[in-house]
Amino acid sequence: MPLLRRLIYLPVLLLALPLSIQAGAEPPTQLQLLYSGNLDGELEPCGCTLDTDFGGIQRQTTMIDQLRTENPNLLLLNSGGLFGPDMGHDLIKHRFILSGIKEQQFDAFGVQWADLQHGEQMLKESELPFTAGNWKDDQLAKGQTLMRGDTQVFFSHWLEPENSPFEGMQAQSPITDDPKPVQQALDQAKQRGLLTVLSTSLPLEKAQQLFQLDSVDLLLIKSAYEQFAEPQQLGNTLVLQPGSRGQRFALLDLELGPKNRILNWGQQVFDLPVDIANAERLDPWYEDYNETLRQDYLERVKKRKALKSGDSPYGGQQLCQACHQAQHEIWSQSQHAQAFTDLENVGKAFDGHCVGCHVVGYEKEGGFLDQELTPNLSGVQCENCHGPAKEHALSAGKTATPNKGLPKEQICSGCHVKEHSPSFQPELYWPKISHPGLPPLPPTQ
């Protein structure tokens, strides 16, 4: 299936061709580079809506395999940020991200602080080419020298100290805040005629303040949200801003002159929507991932069941139905009522990253455990919005539900977040679930 290319090809003349080239000297060198950054823990697309069904390691691999077939000398660079930003979470997912990304055979990765939440040893054991130019010891490479055809490339990465989790702690930071070693390595590589690449999660303005860019041919800066920016030319430096969440890749065609200075460039951005096939060679990897999640989920169910004490504060939708028949009928016809079935249909009913927004009271005392133990709490029910309601029912309505009076936006925003529900608008969604006895949604201020 052909890949979708979203952005038109933009050839740009950066420098006038030297007279020696015009007079018949060696022609410019061609280099093709695929770059990305900030996967942000998105091993696979959310898939809750078509708006979010972009990306995923398997679709990325399909695209990379096809492009590498077209050009075996394709260079792949990544500015890091493979893991999600929540420190200390998702160990299973992060391990599978490393093993899946390894199949894509990137040539160099930067390191961001989120990537270090399980320690640098985990990155080293992955055997991926992680790079941090200001790392103090030799656990991580300070630079990568790469060869593609006739072009030699030097890649380094600046791990910014200002976002370090070691800031303010007595523990010694693994990085230096002195940019001189990185600058010197870039200067030396440029003097030797290499194409130089500096990656960082800093915005452009801070990178300009910290580094002399005369020795930097390509500068990868802090990723934008989802969308890639058009490259920006600053003197001899071409500034690249990746998108995030692994939803797209950018392919950069370079025409290089003497000492690998960039003469011309053109960029294409590849969307990765649902009609990009998953790479079949990663099917066993994905099946292993889901089975590992399932086993972990079952183990956590056992632990939660052992810790569970007392009666559940949740009653389930059948308890609500006894007094609120009309409201229950409207709910039963809604997508909320089918939320857990939707997970089962796509094989994600054991994925803790998804379950919480498809059941009642997940990981809360007396809440949903699994479909066998607590089937009455599967799906998005009355108590997802109103709060635990058993006491309300037993008091014949004299005790208000916990969420009475809370703004609707506050209740909905627990699950309808930008990453999973980007098109969510309370004024449009509310009529789909509104039922007798509820006030209309107040106008947005």
Side-chain angles (χ1 to χ4, degrees):
M1 181 179 295
L3 299 170
L4 301 183
R5 304 190 179 192
R6 179 178 59 80
L7 194 64
I8 62 171
Y9 185 69
L10 298 170
V12 177
L13 183 63
L14 303 183
L15 301 171
L17 292 178
L19 292 176
S20 58
I21 295 178
Q22 296 176 9
E26 286 190 19
T29 302
Q30 308 297 323
L31 178 68
Q32 197 171 59
L33 184 156
L34 187 78
Y35 72 93
S36 65
N38 282 86
L39 182 67
D40 290 343
E42 300 284 345
L43 178 148
E44 60 182 328
C46 165
C48 291
T49 69
L50 285 176
D51 293 333
T52 63
D53 200 355
F54 281 78
I57 288 176
Q58 283 193 283
R59 292 180 195 168
Q60 295 168 13
T61 305
T62 295
M63 191 196 76
I64 289 171
D65 287 349
Q66 180 170 327
L67 291 174
R68 190 174 275 125
T69 298
E70 297 171 0
N71 180 7
N73 285 326
L74 183 68
L75 179 69
L76 276 69
L77 302 179
N78 191 301
S79 59
L82 296 183
F83 299 162
D86 295 328
M87 303 298 278
H89 293 87
D90 291 338
L91 178 59
I92 291 173
K93 179 192 278 190
H94 292 166
R95 283 176 173 164
F96 276 90
I97 284 175
L98 292 177
S99 60
I101 290 287
K102 186 175 181 180
E103 295 296 318
Q104 298 176 351
Q105 299 180 348
F106 269 78
D107 295 288
F109 291 88
V111 175
Q112 298 185 26
W113 289 113
D115 299 322
L116 292 162
Q117 58 191 270
H118 309 293
E120 69 269 22
Q121 187 62 29
M122 182 173 170
L123 302 186
K124 187 174 182 179
E125 290 173 355
S126 74
E127 299 181 346
L128 293 173
F130 285 104
T131 309
N134 54 329
W135 200 262
K136 287 181 178 178
D137 60 30
D138 60 356
Q139 289 294 301
L140 297 176
K142 295 180 175 62
Q144 305 281 350
T145 301
L146 310 164
M147 195 75 186
R148 280 296 178 276
D150 297 327
T151 303
Q152 202 167 10
V153 180
F154 177 75
F155 176 92
S156 188
H157 179 88
W158 173 257
L159 181 56
E160 76 289 349
E162 51 265 47
N163 293 323
S164 170
F166 294 91
E167 189 72 24
M169 297 173 58
Q170 292 184 350
Q172 187 176 12
S173 175
I175 65 168
T176 173
D177 59 4
D178 183 3
K180 290 180 182 177
V182 175
Q183 183 73 62
Q184 290 172 355
L186 291 164
D187 291 343
Q188 292 170 5
K190 194 68 248 177
Q191 289 170 9
R192 291 163 48 206
L194 277 64
L195 180 76
T196 53
V197 184
L198 175 61
S199 166
T200 182
S201 55
L202 292 174
L204 175 58
E205 295 76 14
K206 289 189 176 181
Q208 288 177 299
Q209 293 170 8
L210 203 61
F211 293 98
Q212 295 292 326
L213 298 184
D214 291 346
S215 295
V216 179
D217 295 309
L218 295 172
L219 175 65
L220 274 71
I221 61 172
K222 180 179 180 179
S223 293
Y225 185 74
E226 295 186 358
Q227 299 287 349
F228 282 71
E230 182 179 340
Q232 178 183 355
Q233 178 69 18
L234 294 175
N236 290 322
T237 304
L238 188 61
V239 180
L240 309 176
Q241 185 174 33
S244 64
R245 303 185 66 206
Q247 296 186 344
R248 295 163 182 86
F249 274 146
L251 185 68
L252 189 69
D253 286 290
L254 298 174
E255 185 177 273
L256 306 174
K259 295 187 177 181
N260 285 316
R261 286 296 187 188
I262 300 171
L263 301 178
N264 295 297
W265 60 268
Q267 174 168 287
Q268 303 170 73
V269 175
F270 292 81
D271 289 335
L272 296 171
V274 65
D275 50 354
I276 299 294
N278 288 329
E280 292 183 2
R281 65 187 180 91
L282 286 185
D283 283 347
W285 164 84
Y286 186 64
E287 292 168 4
D288 189 19
Y289 170 63
N290 277 326
E291 178 59 22
T292 303
L293 286 179
R294 191 179 79 88
Q295 293 298 331
D296 177 70
Y297 182 91
L298 294 175
E299 185 61 31
R300 287 187 287 113
V301 166
K302 291 179 182 178
K303 292 179 180 178
R304 292 199 305 272
K305 186 178 180 182
L307 292 172
K308 185 175 180 289
S309 61
D311 293 330
S312 170
Y314 298 97
Q317 47 87 13
Q318 289 184 329
L319 185 65
C320 303
Q321 181 184 12
C323 296
H324 301 284
Q325 183 65 46
Q327 293 91 333
H328 184 274
E329 180 63 25
I330 293 173
W331 167 82
S332 66
Q333 302 301 316
S334 72
Q335 288 297 311
H336 277 173
Q338 304 300 316
F340 193 78
T341 302
D342 290 342
L343 279 190
E344 292 179 311
N345 289 341
V346 296
K348 302 301 288 182
F350 294 100
D351 190 337
H353 306 105
C354 305
V355 172
C357 283
H358 291 252
V359 298
V360 177
Y362 182 63
E363 293 193 329
K364 296 179 180 178
E365 181 69 24
F368 179 86
L369 293 173
D370 69 1
Q371 190 67 337
E372 180 179 349
L373 296 171
T374 52
N376 62 312
L377 298 180
S378 67
V380 176
Q381 301 185 19
C382 316
E383 290 165 298
N384 288 81
C385 299
H386 297 281
K390 182 178 283 186
E391 190 174 342
H392 170 77
L394 293 177
S395 70
K398 294 180 181 179
T399 300
T401 53
N403 292 350
K404 182 179 177 63
L406 286 182
K408 308 298 186 297
E409 295 89 344
Q410 181 179 339
I411 295 173
C412 300
S413 64
C415 286
H416 286 281
V417 296
K418 180 169 66 173
E419 291 78 7
H420 303 302
S421 187
S423 60
F424 177 71
Q425 299 180 52
E427 65 274 12
L428 297 180
Y429 277 52
W430 183 251
K432 299 178 182 181
I433 63 167
S434 180
H435 40 268
L438 290 177
L441 185 71
T444 303
Q445 297 297 322

